[in-house]
Amino acid sequence: MAAVAADPAAAAIPASAEEKERQREAMPDLDEQWRQVENGRERPLRAGESWFLVEQHWYKQWKVYVKGGDQDAATFPGCINNAGLFEDQINWHLREGLLEGDDYVLLPATSWNYLVSWYGLEDGQPPIERKVIELSGIRKVELYPIELLLVQHSDMETALTIQFNPTDSLDLVLQTAREQFLVEPQEDTRLWIKNSEGSLDRLCNTQITLLDASLETGQLVIMETRNKDGTWPSAQLCGMNNMPEEDEDFQGQPGICGLTNLGNTCFMNSALQCLSNVPQLTEYFLNNRYLEELNFRNPLGMKGELAEAYADLVKQTWSGYHRSIVPNVFKNKVGHFASQFLGYQQHDSQELLSFLLDGLHEDLNRVKKKEYVELCNGAGRPDMEVAQEAWQNHKRRNDSVIVDTFHGLFKSTLVCPDCGNVSVTFDPFCYLSVPLPVCSRRVLEVFFVPMDPRRKPEQHRVVVPKKGNISDLCVALSTHTSVAPDKMIVADVFSHRFYKLYQLDDPLSGILDRDDIFVYEVTGRIEPVEGSRDDIVVPVYLRERTPSRDFNNSYYGLILFGHPLLVSVPRDRFSWEGLYNILMYRLSRYVTKPTSDEDDGDEKGDEEEEEEGEEEDDNEDSSSDEEKEEIPGPSTNNDVQETEQEQAGPSSGVTRRCPFLLDNSLHTSQWPPRRRRKQLFTLQTVNSNGTSDRTTSPEEVQTQPYIAMDWEPEMKRRYYDEVEAEGYVKHDCVGYMLKKSPVQLQECIKLFTTVETLEKENPWYCSSCKQHQLATKKLDLWMLPEVLIIHLKRFSFSKFSREKLDTLVQFPIRDLDFSEFVIKPKNESTPDMYKYDLIAVSNHYGGMRDGHYTTFACNKDSGQWHYFDDNSVSPVNENQIESKAAYVLFYQRQDVGRRQSKTASSDTPASPASGSATNPEIMDVN
């Protein structure tokens, strides 16, 4: 027990010979004295009990006296005198190096009390009381107590020297300091010690002993008292004051306090504001009940640090002295224990909320040592019995304010599809993640490219089944364009090239909303069919030559531009010149043909060529070899053979034979030195990315089924109209929006309790079949908590897509009735057990990659709703709360709300006792 060194205990001392004589007469006989004192010394030591030191010289005199058997003998020892054990008679410090048996003897409290009552204690001397401690299984009396220097943080000059036993707890040190410095009961305090480096360390766990905390005599212990605005003085000294300067004199409604966005931390602010407005949890921290339940040794917890950081944040928020605070220390604490929240990336408010609830629970778990508990199965027993057993087992390992407030109980029923075996278990939950009814259709925006060169590409918006195929997209587009679905090829175009050419049976889920999808009208297919007379479909890229520097300025780079094309070419007229003419025809809307003045040789009339379109000169087949060599083509020296297989795009996975080099009709040669007419571009075989080497071997040609149109910069400038080439028209369907009907929250809960079949990745092991089965699973609500958190699963993730559902979910502000969903037998006398009122909403605005979180919350004291947008707070009406942004809903059971209202009205207002989220590891006191 703590003792002030300068406060010796008083003792009854005989004042005269007559008085001594009377004392002798009142003493028991000497044999009885010996028995009572010496027998007490022989009993074993017990940890924590008190023993007393008696000076060896006096004790020997006493032994001589009692052994002599003569009460009148001159050997009477007189008053107990321990003067030889003290270093001085001012502070009464024991001399160093005292040895038991040589300098003193130890007496238990009973023996000591007998001696003092018989002989008294020398005037002014304090009794020398010491405690029994146990170290490594060995019990001993700790002779020298630990003397600590206690000071206040606000007055480091005035120190009190207080003695403590090594087995005393730090909580006793704290309570002693509060008593000595006259701290009011409602004020928060904490302790620091000065370490060997001169800085100060927090004494977080006050339940441990001085010995465990390694405190030594002469150590400085500082008591810090929280400021009225909820901050700690140490936070200000460490440069972590969370209160802006302009708020120093501010005084407002407690709880109406913003949180500064530290950089993409709106998700954290939203979750904290929701949790802060749960009345029973906030009162738990404001009233310091958490201090008694901090669990510093839970291996699943955060050593109490997360709970302390959250408590400081709540106290500071509810102090009423801040417009907004900066939660930087709390964020750092979260990132320290959950690395996924390190840095300043955007995260999910529900994910943080889940971590925070679990972390607070483990930090405040009243169960200090978790026992092993076996899972209980129904095994045909009544549900009530199994549920009660499951809940008791849960509470044997998990007992905290979080469990009291947020935990409920599921009934989970699994049925084996083969043997019909039924497994019933009851599992605890902390929140409900309910699905939203998903529309089976989706809207895709595509560009339709007709074959008619006079028509511009058309932008369409088509409705397709979410789980459909590419063929469904073609059928839907056919109703808008009157083009048969089998005359369409769908492609994903990215960076002027074909990223992917889709097959008809490819799933639509592979198309993301951000993809640029082009649908081309064709008269054939890309896949060659042997013996087929269908036209050949040729993928064509547009490239521009750009001079690039090298040692002789002879190298030309090639840059892709414009939209690629899929061009249909008749098989019997496929040649380099035929392809050139067809491309001139397909590009005629935005490519100007040279005038007759620009021609440098005989050619067919322009009018005839325009009328014939993609038809070639009838005499082409009978032209001489020399004329054939004048046809524009790639630079190689051998005839082109049939190509091998190659991929159609970087991620397509579509492998096929070359669709246009099926015979020897494309003879390759050098670009002709003499042309029949001016050529606007040259043609080159390329790979699927639109790149190729300057010298192309026959082997490489055979693996390149794509064609590139290479333009000289001057020719492109004169004859290629970029504005017209990029032009398109919007079809009437572009204005169509898929209407989404609002959904009732009760529909989501009903969907949550619907029977479903387990996925292949997550089968269930049937104890009857002895193998894993895709069982049917049904979740039912058995017991609901005081505060029910409902997470609306707006974010959908699949192998090919990620999307956010912006469906409007209509949820009641008051009287949300769960009686139809709870299957536990109901007590008709307590209907409020199933009715809930809304107290907070976490909102998410935006899409998957970006977004912003805010909060609607009802103040527990005023009942007024407020909108929290980071550090901005404003009052709102209830009709503003429901929106498509609602993401996480907090409901409080009505009977709990009424109970809290009665408690609040009966309690007298107390001065704010609040805290900050500042938990620095080191405090500077200089």
Side-chain angles (χ1 to χ4, degrees):
M1 184 174 180
V4 180
D7 185 22
I13 307 298
S16 63
E18 294 79 8
E19 201 167 331
K20 287 183 179 182
E21 193 63 31
R22 286 195 300 270
Q23 187 178 14
R24 286 183 183 182
E25 293 177 357
M27 290 181 187
D29 60 60
L30 298 181
D31 290 338
E32 180 65 17
Q33 289 188 41
W34 179 264
R35 185 182 62 82
Q36 290 181 353
V37 173
E38 281 296 311
N39 286 353
R41 291 185 62 195
E42 294 174 359
R43 67 181 184 82
L45 300 175
R46 297 186 181 92
E49 70 177 356
S50 295
W51 285 65
F52 291 80
L53 276 70
V54 177
E55 201 265 340
Q56 176 71 8
H57 177 75
W58 185 92
Y59 192 73
K60 281 183 177 180
Q61 183 70 25
W62 174 81
K63 289 172 67 175
V64 170
Y65 172 65
V66 296
K67 284 183 179 181
D70 183 5
Q71 287 187 321
D72 297 328
T75 57
F76 183 75
C79 295
I80 300 172
N81 189 349
N82 290 329
L85 300 180
F86 293 111
E87 190 177 77
D88 60 73
Q89 296 188 10
I90 299 176
N91 295 318
W92 301 101
H93 288 165
L94 290 183
R95 290 192 294 110
E96 293 292 332
L98 295 178
L99 297 176
E100 184 180 3
D102 292 341
D103 300 303
Y104 65 91
V105 294
L106 286 171
L107 297 178
T110 54
S111 299
W112 166 260
N113 291 333
Y114 281 134
L115 289 177
V116 171
S117 66
W118 298 333
Y119 299 96
L121 184 62
E122 191 70 30
D123 188 19
Q125 287 187 12
I128 308 174
E129 180 184 3
R130 293 296 183 261
K131 295 286 186 181
V132 177
I133 64 172
E134 185 171 355
L135 295 174
S136 303
I138 300 176
R139 297 189 184 106
K140 69 172 187 175
V141 175
E142 182 63 30
L143 188 60
Y144 296 97
I146 297 176
E147 293 188 346
L148 300 179
L149 303 177
L150 300 185
V151 298
Q152 294 187 84
H153 184 266
S154 57
D155 183 10
M156 300 290 290
E157 301 299 324
T158 304
L160 295 178
T161 301
I162 310 293
Q163 291 183 350
F164 296 93
N165 289 301
T167 54
D168 288 339
S169 68
L170 292 180
D171 186 61
L172 178 61
V173 178
L174 178 60
Q175 296 307 319
T176 303
R178 290 176 65 96
E179 293 171 2
Q180 293 294 322
F181 296 122
L182 305 178
V183 177
E184 295 295 330
Q186 71 271 16
E187 293 187 271
D188 288 348
T189 55
R190 60 186 187 182
L191 297 179
W192 302 77
I193 59 168
K194 183 172 259 186
N195 58 31
S196 58
E197 297 176 354
S199 58
L200 299 183
D201 295 333
R202 261 286 309 278
L203 294 174
C204 299
N205 185 1
T206 58
Q207 303 306 311
I208 63 175
T209 65
L210 277 69
L211 192 63
D212 294 332
S214 301
L215 297 189
E216 299 175 348
T217 293
Q219 195 143 23
L220 185 68
V221 178
I222 301 100
M223 185 187 71
E224 179 185 23
T225 304
R226 193 191 296 273
N227 298 325
K228 66 177 182 178
D229 67 348
T231 60
W232 293 102
S234 58
Q236 299 174 7
L237 291 175
C238 293
M240 289 185 283
N241 184 11
N242 288 351
M243 183 176 65
E245 291 183 3
E246 62 270 15
D247 282 352
E248 289 182 359
D249 299 325
F250 175 78
Q251 194 164 2
Q253 171 73 38
I256 311 305
C257 176
L259 298 174
T260 299
N261 192 323
L262 304 174
N264 286 326
T265 58
C266 56
F267 73 96
M268 182 185 74
N269 295 345
S270 178
L272 288 173
Q273 294 289 12
C274 287
L275 210 56
S276 172
N277 282 278
V278 174
Q280 53 267 56
L281 184 64
T282 295
E283 290 293 341
Y284 171 85
F285 283 101
L286 292 181
N287 295 331
N288 285 338
R289 293 201 299 273
Y290 74 99
L291 293 175
E292 301 173 359
E293 299 181 348
L294 284 170
N295 193 332
F296 296 99
R297 298 183 179 179
N298 186 353
L300 301 178
M302 288 82 177
K303 301 179 181 178
E305 294 182 31
L306 184 67
E308 283 195 323
Y310 179 74
D312 284 347
L313 189 69
V314 167
K315 288 185 175 185
Q316 192 173 351
T317 302
W318 286 85
S319 68
Y321 288 96
H322 303 290
R323 289 188 178 91
S324 67
I325 60 177
V326 184
N328 51 0
V329 176
F330 179 82
K331 183 193 178 303
N332 293 338
K333 190 67 66 177
V334 169
H336 175 72
F337 290 107
S339 59
Q340 66 268 31
F341 297 115
L342 280 172
Y344 297 91
Q345 299 297 316
Q346 182 67 276
H347 293 281
D348 188 287
S349 67
Q350 189 272 334
E351 290 181 2
L352 177 73
L353 187 65
S354 176
F355 162 77
L356 189 53
L357 288 172
D358 184 64
L360 290 176
H361 159 65
E362 296 295 355
D363 269 2
L364 300 168
N365 199 343
R366 303 174 188 117
V367 179
K368 305 306 179 184
K369 185 177 181 181
K370 295 189 177 185
E371 57 182 301
Y372 173 75
V373 176
E374 290 190 7
L375 296 176
C376 56
N377 195 293
R381 294 182 294 162
D383 283 351
M384 188 70 77
E385 177 185 336
V386 181
Q388 185 176 1
E389 180 182 339
W391 184 251
Q392 289 175 348
N393 287 343
H394 179 59
K395 290 279 286 184
R396 283 162 64 187
R397 292 174 56 86
N398 304 279
D399 185 15
S400 70
V401 66
I402 302 299
V403 175
D404 299 340
T405 307
F406 298 101
H407 282 207
L409 204 62
F410 284 139
K411 177 186 177 183
S412 176
T413 306
L414 287 162
V415 180
C416 177
D418 288 350
C419 67
N421 178 35
V422 179
S423 172
V424 175
T425 57
F426 288 83
D427 305 304
F429 68 89
C430 191
Y431 51 84
L432 297 181
S433 288
V434 299
L436 275 61
V438 179
C439 179
S440 60
R441 302 177 299 163
R442 65 182 291 199
V443 175
L444 284 179
E445 287 191 1
V446 300
F447 287 91
F448 175 68
V449 182
M451 288 183 61
D452 187 347
R454 295 167 296 182
R455 293 174 56 189
K456 292 182 178 181
E458 299 170 354
Q459 184 183 12
H460 289 257
R461 182 172 286 174
V462 293
V463 180
V464 295
K466 277 192 173 181
K467 296 184 179 179
N469 296 328
I470 294 297
S471 58
D472 296 309
L473 170 59
C474 296
V475 170
L477 187 59
S478 177
T479 61
H480 295 182
T481 62
S482 300
V483 174
D486 60 349
K487 301 298 182 184
M488 298 179 184
I489 294 181
V490 181
D492 182 354
V493 175
F494 176 74
S495 189
H496 311 292
R497 57 171 58 91
F498 292 114
Y499 183 77
K500 182 171 183 176
L501 295 170
Y502 289 98
Q503 302 269 26
L504 292 175
D505 58 353
D506 285 342
L508 287 173
S509 58
I511 296 179
L512 306 181
D513 291 337
R514 67 177 183 271
D515 292 341
D516 292 325
I517 302 301
F518 283 71
V519 182
Y520 295 86
E521 179 186 2
V522 295
T523 57
R525 305 303 301 173
I526 284 199
E527 306 91 342
V529 179
E530 196 167 342
S532 172
R533 292 184 171 273
D534 290 341
D535 292 349
I536 300 168
V537 177
V538 183
V540 180
Y541 291 145
L542 286 77
R543 304 190 303 184
E544 179 182 3
R545 294 181 181 274
T546 56
S548 300
R549 291 183 180 180
D550 71 3
F551 62 95
N552 60 1
N553 290 325
S554 63
Y555 175 72
Y556 284 83
L558 291 164
I559 297 177
L560 289 168
F561 69 92
H563 297 305
L565 296 172
L566 289 179
V567 180
S568 300
V569 181
R571 286 175 178 268
D572 56 352
R573 299 183 181 179
F574 194 82
S575 66
W576 288 114
E577 185 171 11
L579 183 57
Y580 178 91
N581 292 332
I582 290 173
L583 290 172
M584 284 294 297
Y585 174 71
R586 286 293 301 272
L587 274 58
S588 59
R589 180 171 56 84
Y590 47 90
V591 172
T592 305
K593 299 181 68 172
T595 63
S596 57
D597 294 340
E598 296 172 311
D599 295 341
D600 60 357
D602 296 334
E603 65 178 322
K604 290 173 58 176
D606 291 343
E607 296 82 0
E608 180 182 354
E609 199 166 78
E610 288 177 4
E611 291 172 0
E612 292 179 0
E614 61 186 28
E615 293 184 0
E616 303 174 30
D617 188 272
D618 292 339
N619 296 327
E620 177 189 343
D621 294 339
S622 61
S623 61
S624 64
D625 291 341
E626 181 180 354
E627 288 175 329
K628 285 188 177 182
E629 290 177 356
E630 296 173 358
I631 300 172
S635 299
T636 104
N637 296 321
N638 299 323
D639 291 345
V640 178
Q641 305 296 327
E642 194 170 297
T643 62
E644 301 296 329
Q645 294 181 343
E646 93 148 342
Q647 289 230 325
S651 66
S652 107
V654 179
T655 304
R656 55 181 65 88
R657 298 181 69 79
C658 175
F660 55 87
L661 302 179
L662 298 178
D663 51 38
N664 293 332
S665 61
L666 290 184
H667 295 284
T668 59
S669 65
Q670 298 291 334
W671 187 254
R674 180 176 61 85
R675 304 184 183 89
R676 292 185 300 155
R677 58 180 175 273
K678 183 183 291 293
Q679 302 297 334
L680 302 186
F681 50 82
T682 60
L683 301 176
Q684 172 69 48
T685 55
V686 292
N687 61 12
S688 60
N689 286 324
T691 59
S692 64
D693 298 333
R694 288 182 292 169
T695 59
T696 308
S697 67
E699 292 77 13
E700 290 174 317
V701 171
Q702 292 178 15
T703 61
Q704 295 177 351
Y706 287 60
I707 290 291
M709 304 166 54
D710 293 340
W711 291 74
E712 297 291 342
E714 179 61 23
M715 301 297 283
K716 178 174 177 284
R717 184 187 65 79
R718 292 174 59 186
Y719 299 108
Y720 186 90
D721 188 342
E722 291 192 68
V723 176
E724 183 63 24
E726 298 293 329
Y728 66 94
V729 295
K730 292 185 177 182
H731 191 268
D732 294 341
C733 65
V734 172
Y736 173 77
M737 295 293 293
L738 188 62
K739 294 183 178 179
K740 297 181 180 178
S741 302
V743 173
Q744 300 297 320
L745 178 60
Q746 290 85 340
E747 294 179 56
C748 302
I749 300 171
K750 187 174 182 179
L751 190 60
F752 175 79
T753 59
T754 302
V755 177
E756 62 177 358
T757 302
L758 297 180
E759 299 176 349
K760 293 181 180 179
E761 295 81 9
N762 187 30
W764 169 66
Y765 182 78
C766 177
S767 59
S768 178
C769 297
K770 305 299 182 184
Q771 58 183 325
H772 289 87
Q773 299 283 4
L774 298 182
T776 59
K777 181 178 182 180
K778 188 177 190 302
L779 287 176
D780 290 298
L781 302 178
W782 180 265
M783 183 178 70
L784 297 182
E786 293 183 355
V787 174
L788 179 62
I789 302 175
I790 302 177
H791 164 225
L792 303 177
K793 297 173 70 174
R794 291 195 176 276
F795 297 105
S796 174
F797 301 91
S798 68
K799 183 177 180 180
F800 297 102
S801 64
R802 302 173 65 186
E803 63 175 333
K804 180 192 174 184
L805 305 176
D806 60 352
T807 307
L808 174 62
V809 178
Q810 295 179 332
F811 48 89
I813 305 296
R814 295 181 182 83
D815 298 324
L816 174 59
D817 192 351
F818 273 90
S819 57
E820 64 175 301
F821 300 108
V822 178
I823 65 171
K824 180 181 179 180
K826 300 173 179 59
N827 186 346
E828 300 299 333
S829 63
T830 56
D832 290 348
M833 294 294 289
Y834 309 102
K835 288 188 177 180
Y836 286 76
D837 294 334
L838 189 72
I839 57 174
V841 181
S842 176
N843 305 300
H844 178 268
Y845 301 91
M848 294 291 298
R849 290 173 180 77
D850 54 7
H852 184 60
Y853 288 90
T854 64
T855 300
F856 289 113
C858 180
N859 186 273
K860 69 180 181 65
D861 297 331
S862 67
Q864 170 68 47
W865 282 88
H866 287 81
Y867 181 63
F868 297 83
D869 185 359
D870 289 333
N871 59 353
S872 173
V873 185
S874 57
V876 293
N877 297 322
E878 289 186 1
N879 57 10
Q880 298 175 263
I881 297 171
E882 187 180 277
S883 73
K884 292 182 179 181
Y887 183 45
V888 183
L889 310 175
F890 283 67
Y891 278 94
Q892 180 177 248
R893 208 168 62 203
Q894 286 185 349
D895 68 313
V896 177
R898 275 196 284 271
R899 185 168 66 242
Q900 289 172 343
S901 298
K902 291 180 182 179
T903 304
S905 61
S906 61
D907 291 344
T908 55
S911 59
S914 58
S916 69
T918 58
N919 189 17
E921 297 299 327
I922 294 177
M923 177 176 72
D924 183 10
V925 295
N926 297 321

